[in-house]
Amino acid sequence: MSFKITFNDETKEYDKPVKVVDVVGDSRDYVCAYVDNRVRELTYTVDKDATIVPLTVKDRDAKWPYEASLRFLVAMAMHNIHPELTIRFSYNVSRSIFMQILTPGVTSNGQMVLDLQKEMNRLVELDLPMVRKIVSKEEACRIFNEEGFPDKSAIMKYRPEITAHIYDCNGYKNYMYSRMVPSTGYIKKWKVRFYSPGIIIQYPRSETNGEIPPFEDTPTFGRTLKQAHVWAVATGANSVVGINEHIENNGIVDFINLCEARHNRQLCELGQMIENDIDNIRIICIAGPSSSGKTTFANRLRIELLSRGIKTIRISMDDYYLPRDKAPLDENGEPDLESVEALDIPLFNQNMSDLISGMEVDLPKFDFKLGKRVKGRTLKVPQDQPIIIEGIHALNDITTSSIPNHQKFKIFIAPQAQINIDNENPISLTDLRLLRRIVRDYQFRNASALETISMWPSVRNGEFKWIYNTQEGADFVFNSLLSYELCAMKKYAMPLLSKISTDDEYFPVAERLIRMLKFFIEMPDEWVPCNSLLREFIGGSCYADV
């Protein structure tokens, strides 16, 4: 039976199955393709009516296949030059991949970088096919054990399907939990650099129009990730298998308390720092990207400081939004609520300055239903009472330019995950926040997962433009990750993601999140404390009405 394929606004009829690459051509600029809005490999076989749109590194949904293929290339190159070494990938500074050596007594060095670059270039030049094979889980375990990947074999226990995938490239076998490019010759853009104690691999990003972003060293962010990794390794929470086994062997309550104890410890350290300098501090600024847990954190910090005899007042910067008709517009002509210019900065600065000087101030309250400010609280703040301000722009010096720097204490909050499916497949820090937001928006804002996902690119653009660069000026970075949270959110997120149709524009995102979540044990949330940061997203927070 014949079928029709539409490509480049031209429709052709075929009488036998055809691969995507045979329709769109073998341009090495292509990474993958939409086949009726589903992301497919270029080697995918089409046998029915379809519309095909090839994707390049400039396109959002090409990022994951390209990055996964690059990790495969790096892993293969390292296997060729140093087969005795075990490596681990994670996400790191400057939107890059970080490779570290797990083998005891061995560290990366400049010569290793040169050897790695040379071997990667050789493999790209050879243009070796990367062939996907479907095998039983038992066969996958056998292959992974033979190839020296016991971590990949271990995760098979939690894979719900009876089969698994493996990619074979010239005899080298691995799997990166993603669709891949057809051959090594497609992986043309990357940069490798030494970054003690490991190696940084940069790759093109859609948000930089398919180019590799300039390397930006962010040591504060890097230290936070290192601390997160050290804690995760020490508690066995650095992998999905480790998290699942902790729950299976030690129980749900034990793991929840372990993770919550880390938040308590961070709050204690932070409280001590503020107490030590309380004579100078008048403003405590809390900022971070979307779904970092800023609201619950601000409340818990308030209680922590109160336990030290320090009373605080909390003010949300959201109350200083300009009316919607005065908000700046983004490149699409839509109100850009992520921009610092969407706030009434002069009024905020004046109010904060007046409060610090001991004056009584009428604060605004933004009514989101009306889309404008209305009258809020009237406050007069004692000289010994610091003000907690919370908002995505709280660390931007523009918003507090009237306040001397020595009177500010800046806190950056974000979930800094260092969790891997296996050594070579890290979980995205951004995807974790997206899942939090999907669950929260449905619980409290009556928004579908589709609505939340559709807004996410705009949110991310605002974060890159306005938020991430403020982290380096922070006095304290609070890691809001709770290693059990994906297990607890699974029962909320999976049904929401499953409702997104396969022909929807945002199905590739939903599919990717489902592929990640499926490996985690689903756990009930009855033992999650009412003051837990996770309650901000799943509900049941004791701070809901504060």
Side-chain angles (χ1 to χ4, degrees), residues 320-333:
Y320 288 83
Y321 271 119
L322 293 168
R324 286 173 183 163
D325 60 351
K326 293 185 179 180
L329 303 180
D330 61 19
E331 62 273 12
N332 299 316

Side-chain angles (χ1 to χ4, degrees), residues 171-418:
Y172 175 77
K173 301 178 181 67
N174 208 332
Y175 184 51
M176 297 298 173
Y177 293 90
S178 174
R179 295 174 175 89
M180 306 274 277
V181 297
S183 65
T184 56
Y186 284 76
I187 315 171
K188 299 183 296 183
K189 289 185 176 182
W190 43 266
K191 290 182 180 178
V192 178
R193 64 188 296 150
F194 178 64
Y195 190 79
S196 182
I199 294 173
I200 285 285
I201 301 104
Q202 294 179 271
Y203 55 95
R205 308 278 302 204
S206 60
E207 62 267 20
T208 53
N209 198 34
E211 297 300 321
I212 298 174
F215 181 78
E216 296 179 12
D217 193 9
T218 47
T220 300
F221 179 44
R223 283 194 299 272
T224 304
L225 290 177
K226 183 177 180 181
Q227 292 166 1
H229 175 66
V230 170
W231 183 87
V233 170
T235 56
N238 61 325
S239 69
V240 178
V241 171
I243 290 171
N244 288 347
E245 288 183 346
H246 196 122
I247 292 172
E248 290 173 331
N249 299 332
N250 301 305
I252 293 170
V253 174
D254 187 90
F255 193 52
I256 289 175
N257 286 334
L258 171 67
C259 299
E260 294 289 345
R262 184 164 185 259
H263 274 197
N264 294 338
R265 189 177 72 183
Q266 289 185 85
L267 281 163
C268 182
E269 292 172 0
L270 175 56
Q272 188 63 57
M273 288 178 67
I274 293 173
E275 183 180 5
N276 290 344
D277 196 31
I278 195 59
D279 291 340
N280 292 314
I281 298 171
R282 296 307 315 279
I283 297 282
I284 299 172
C285 311
I286 302 172
S290 175
S291 302
S292 292
K294 294 183 288 293
T295 302
T296 300
F297 170 74
N299 276 302
R300 290 192 63 176
L301 177 60
R302 177 178 59 83
I303 298 300
E304 173 65 32
L305 295 176
L306 191 59
S307 75
R308 298 170 182 271
I310 302 171
K311 295 181 180 180
T312 60
I313 292 289
R314 187 165 70 89
I315 295 175
S316 173
M317 294 189 72
D318 287 355
D319 288 326
Y320 288 83
Y321 271 119
L322 293 168
R324 286 173 183 163
D325 60 351
K326 293 185 179 180
L329 303 180
D330 61 19
E331 62 273 12
N332 299 316
E334 299 293 328
D336 185 3
L337 300 182
E338 307 298 325
S339 170
V340 70
E341 296 169 0
L343 299 172
D344 191 336
I345 300 301
L347 178 62
F348 183 78
N349 262 297
Q350 187 64 53
N351 283 176
M352 295 305 104
S353 182
D354 289 347
L355 285 172
I356 286 176
S357 65
M359 296 175 64
E360 186 174 89
V361 175
D362 291 327
L363 298 178
K365 174 72 176 177
F366 194 87
D367 188 317
F368 284 91
K369 290 183 179 179
L370 297 176
K372 63 180 183 179
R373 293 194 300 263
V374 296
K375 188 180 183 303
R377 297 174 292 169
T378 298
L379 285 182
K380 185 175 182 179
V381 181
Q383 289 293 311
D384 62 347
Q385 194 165 331
I387 302 168
I388 295 177
I389 61 171
E390 173 241 316
I392 61 175
H393 299 294
L395 299 194
N396 191 322
D397 285 330
I398 295 174
T399 63
T400 54
S401 58
S402 64
I403 312 300
N405 284 332
H406 74 276
Q407 292 186 315
K408 305 175 194 176
F409 190 93
K410 297 180 177 181
I411 304 168
F412 188 90
I413 175 174
Q416 312 290 19
Q418 289 289 277

Side-chain angles (χ1 to χ4, degrees), residues 456-470:
W456 194 242
S458 175
V459 172
R460 290 285 288 153
N461 289 338
E463 290 171 353
F464 283 119
K465 187 174 182 180
W466 299 108
I467 300 175
Y468 288 132
N469 62 347
T470 66

Side-chain angles (χ1 to χ4, degrees), residues 8-73:
N8 274 350
D9 297 324
E10 185 179 339
T11 301
K12 291 184 178 180
E13 190 168 321
Y14 295 83
D15 57 9
K16 61 181 180 180
V18 60
K19 291 183 178 180
V20 171
V21 67
D22 294 329
V23 175
V24 303
D26 63 352
S27 168
R28 298 311 164 93
D29 289 335
Y30 296 151
V31 175
C32 53
Y34 288 136
V35 178
D36 290 337
N37 278 339
R38 293 196 67 173
V39 176
R40 298 293 192 182
E41 294 180 324
L42 295 175
T43 54
Y44 177 75
T45 298
V46 183
D47 59 3
K48 60 183 178 180
D49 292 354
T51 298
I52 296 178
V53 180
L55 304 178
T56 72
V57 288
K58 295 181 180 181
D59 296 299
R60 178 193 66 214
D61 289 325
K63 179 258 184 187
W64 300 99
Y66 190 89
E67 185 252 317
S69 301
L70 177 57
R71 278 187 280 117
F72 187 101
L73 177 69

